C-alpha cells in the first residue's frame, strides 16, 4: 500500500496511513520521500501528535522504516522521540544527514527567496549532497569521520565559530545511536509495508511548479523502486490548500468549520496557509503524473476534511479521469471518522 497526496501537501496522509495500519496485520510504515520537514497529524485514542521523524503509525506501536530517500536530522529526531512511547525505527545507513549548518543556510536563504521551505534544512541537505559534501547515517558511527566531515561542511557554507554547534550535534548523535536500528530495504520482506508519502504530487520536483517545489519525488516512484506494491491510496482534502508562495488557482478564503485544531498556521519561513476550492484539472493532472509509475496498481481515493468543507463526492468522481477501486471519506481527524463511500 502506498499513500500519496494529490495536492500541495497537507492532504491527510498521516490520517490515511494511521487508518491503514489499523486494517492490516504486521504493518510497517515506510517513509519513502522527503524527510524531517514533513508534518503529519494523527489522533489515536485521544492522543494527538504531528509526525516528522517517525511514521504515522507510531502511536499504534507500528514500527517505522526510514528509507535512503529520506533525510535524517538527529536533533529533530531526538525531540520527537521523547514525545513518543519508545517507538521502534529502522534507519537506512545511506540516509543523508542534516546538520546545523544546513538548517542555518536554509533559514538564511529562505528569508530572501521565499520558496516556501519550512526552514529545517531539508532542501539544503539535498543540495549539499549533490555537491559531494555528503554525510550519511552510517558516518554517525565513526566519530573521527563525522567530525572531519562536519568541519568540511561548515567550511563549505562559510560558517564560523562552529565548535559549539559541532559539540551539540555530537551529543545528539550519541543518544540517537542507542535508539535507531540500522536496516536496508530487505526489512520490508518481514512486514506488510505501508508507504507514507510526504508533501504532494503538485510539489514533486519533476512535476510541480518550479521554483516552489520540494527536492524529492512525491509520486509513487520511489516506493515502487523499493517494493512491488499492489495498490495506492491517493489523498486530497475536500478543498485545496497550499502553504507559502507558489501557484494556487482560484485562491480564496473558504468558510471552514470544525477546523479549530488545524495544524497548519502561518509559518515564519513557509509563509501563509492558503485555501481554494478543489480544481478538477489539477487533480486529474496529479493522477496523470503518477500514472507513469502506478500503471496496473489498484487505485483508491481518500477525501479528508469533509466535516470542514462538505462537497458533492459523486459529482467530483464523475469528473475525474481515474476509476477508483474504493473511495473513502473522513469527517474528522481520528480513525473512527474514516468511512467507505463506495
Amino acid at each position: 500500500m502506498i499513500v500519496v497526496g494529490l495536492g500541495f501537501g497537507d492532504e491527510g496522509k498521516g490520517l490515511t496511513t494511521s487508518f491503514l495500519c489499523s486494517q492490516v496485520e504486521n504493518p510497517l510504515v515506510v517513509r519513502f520521500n522527503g524527510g524531517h520537514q514533513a508534518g503529519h497529524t494523527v489522533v489515536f485514542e485521544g492522543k494527538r501528535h504531528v509526525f516528522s521523524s517517525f511514521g504515522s503509525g507510531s502511536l499504534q506501536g507500528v514500527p517505522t522504516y526510514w528509507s535512503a530517500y529520506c533525510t535524517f536530522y538527529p536533533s529533530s529526531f531526538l525531540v520527537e522521540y521523547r514525545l513518543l512511547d519508545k517507538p521502534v525505527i529502522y534507519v537506512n545507513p545511506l540516509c543523508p544527514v542534516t546538520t546545523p549548518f544546513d538548517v542555518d543556510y536554509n533559514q538564511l536563504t529562505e528569508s530572501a527567496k521565499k520558496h516556501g521551505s519550512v526552514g529545517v534544512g531539508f532542501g539544503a541537505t539535498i543540495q549539499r549532497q549533490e555537491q559531494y559534501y555528503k554525510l550519511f547515517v552510517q558516518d554517525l558511527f565513526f566519530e573521527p569521520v563525522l567530525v572531519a566531515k562536519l568541519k568540511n561542511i561548515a567550511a563549505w557554507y562559510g560558517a564560523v565559530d562552529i565548535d559549539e554547534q559541532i559539540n551539540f550535534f555530537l551529543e545528539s548523535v550519541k543518544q540517537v545511536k542507542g535508539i535507531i536500528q540500522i536496516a536496508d530495504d530487505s526489512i520490508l520482506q518481514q512486514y506488510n509495508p505501508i508507504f507514507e508519502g510526504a508533501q504532494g504530487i503538485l510539489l514533486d520536483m519533476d512535476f510541480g511548479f518550479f521554483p516552489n517545489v520540494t527536492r524529492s519525488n512525491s509520486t509513487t516512484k520511489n516506493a515502487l523502486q523499493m517494493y512491488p506494491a499492489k495498490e495506492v491510496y491517493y489523498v486530497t482534502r475536500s478543498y485545496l490548500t497550499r502553504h507559502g508562495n507558489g501557484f494556487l488557482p482560484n485562491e480564496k478564503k473558504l468558510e471552514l468549520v470544525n477546523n479549530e485544531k488545524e495544524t497548519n498556521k502561518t509559518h515564519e519561513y513557509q509563509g501563509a496557509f492558503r485555501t481554494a476550492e478543489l480544481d478538477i484539472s489539477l487533480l486529474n493532472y496529479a493522477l496523470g503524473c503518477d500514472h507513469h509509475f502506478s500503471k496496473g496498481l489498484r487505485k483508491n481515493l481518500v477525501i479528508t476534511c469533509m466535516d470542514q468543507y462538505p462537497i458533492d463526492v459523486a459529482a467530483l468522481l464523475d469528473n475525474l479521469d481515474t476509476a477508483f477501486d474504493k473511495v473513502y471519506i473522513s469527517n474528522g481527524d481520528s480513525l473512527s471518522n474514516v468511512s467507505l463511500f463506495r
Side-chain angles (χ1 to χ4, degrees), residues 112-159:
K113 294 180 180 179
K114 298 296 183 186
H115 282 177
S117 167
V118 294
V120 295
F122 169 73
T125 302
I126 300 300
Q127 181 177 339
R128 169 179 52 75
Q129 294 278 120
E130 292 172 350
Q131 296 297 317
Y132 302 105
Y133 283 83
K134 299 181 185 291
L135 186 66
F136 296 108
V137 163
Q138 67 176 18
D139 301 334
L140 303 181
F141 293 83
F142 301 91
E143 187 166 313
V145 172
L146 175 58
V147 171
K149 288 193 173 186
L150 286 172
K151 289 181 177 179
N152 286 346
I153 290 169
W156 184 66
Y157 280 123

Side-chain angles (χ1 to χ4, degrees), residues 50-113:
V50 181
F51 287 99
S52 294
S53 296
F54 292 86
S56 290
S58 297
L59 292 180
Q60 294 146 269
V62 176
T64 299
Y65 174 55
W66 207 254
S67 76
Y69 291 107
C70 299
T71 56
F72 182 82
Y73 187 23
S75 303
S76 177
F77 172 89
L78 274 180
V79 170
E80 187 169 354
Y81 179 80
R82 291 165 182 153
L83 296 173
L84 300 169
D85 186 18
K86 297 182 179 180
V88 174
I89 184 167
Y90 305 98
V91 180
N92 191 291
L94 294 180
C95 287
V97 173
T98 295
T99 73
F101 311 112
D102 300 307
V103 177
D104 289 347
Y105 176 80
N106 185 184
Q107 293 180 359
L108 178 65
T109 55
E110 181 58 25
S111 296
K113 294 180 180 179

Side-chain angles (χ1 to χ4, degrees), residues 1-6 11-21 28-33 40 56 193-201 217-221 223-224 229-236 290 297-298 300-302 304:
M1 300 175 177
I2 308 174
V3 178
V4 172
L6 287 177
E11 301 96 345
K13 297 181 293 296
L15 168 64
T16 303
T17 299
S18 178
F19 171 74
L20 293 176
C21 285
L28 172 73
V29 173
V30 182
R31 282 290 309 277
F32 65 93
N33 78 298
H40 293 176
S56 290
I194 299 171
F195 291 84
E196 179 180 7
Q199 291 76 55
I201 293 175
N217 291 118
S218 48
T219 60
T220 55
K221 178 181 178 180
L224 291 171
K230 296 181 180 179
E231 61 182 329
V232 56
Y233 286 77
Y234 295 110
V235 190
T236 178
D290 195 64
L297 271 63
R298 289 196 301 273
N300 309 289
L301 181 66
V302 182
T304 65

Side-chain angles (χ1 to χ4, degrees), residues 224-290:
L224 291 171
Q225 289 180 346
M226 296 170 60
Y227 187 83
K230 296 181 180 179
E231 61 182 329
V232 56
Y233 286 77
Y234 295 110
V235 190
T236 178
R237 291 196 188 202
S238 57
Y239 55 98
L240 188 59
T241 70
R242 176 146 204 172
H243 217 147
N245 292 339
F247 174 65
L248 181 64
N250 305 313
E251 179 177 358
K252 66 178 181 179
K253 184 177 180 180
L254 301 179
E255 296 299 322
L256 305 177
V257 296
N258 301 318
N259 66 327
E260 296 82 5
K261 295 182 180 179
E262 174 63 62
T263 301
N264 298 282
K265 308 291 184 182
T266 296
H267 188 278
E268 178 181 3
Y269 297 104
Q270 198 173 15
F273 188 62
R274 304 152 59 196
T275 60
E277 293 186 354
L278 281 181
D279 187 291
I280 298 297
S281 63
L282 281 185
L283 288 173
N284 282 326
Y285 173 73
L287 290 163
C289 290
D290 195 64

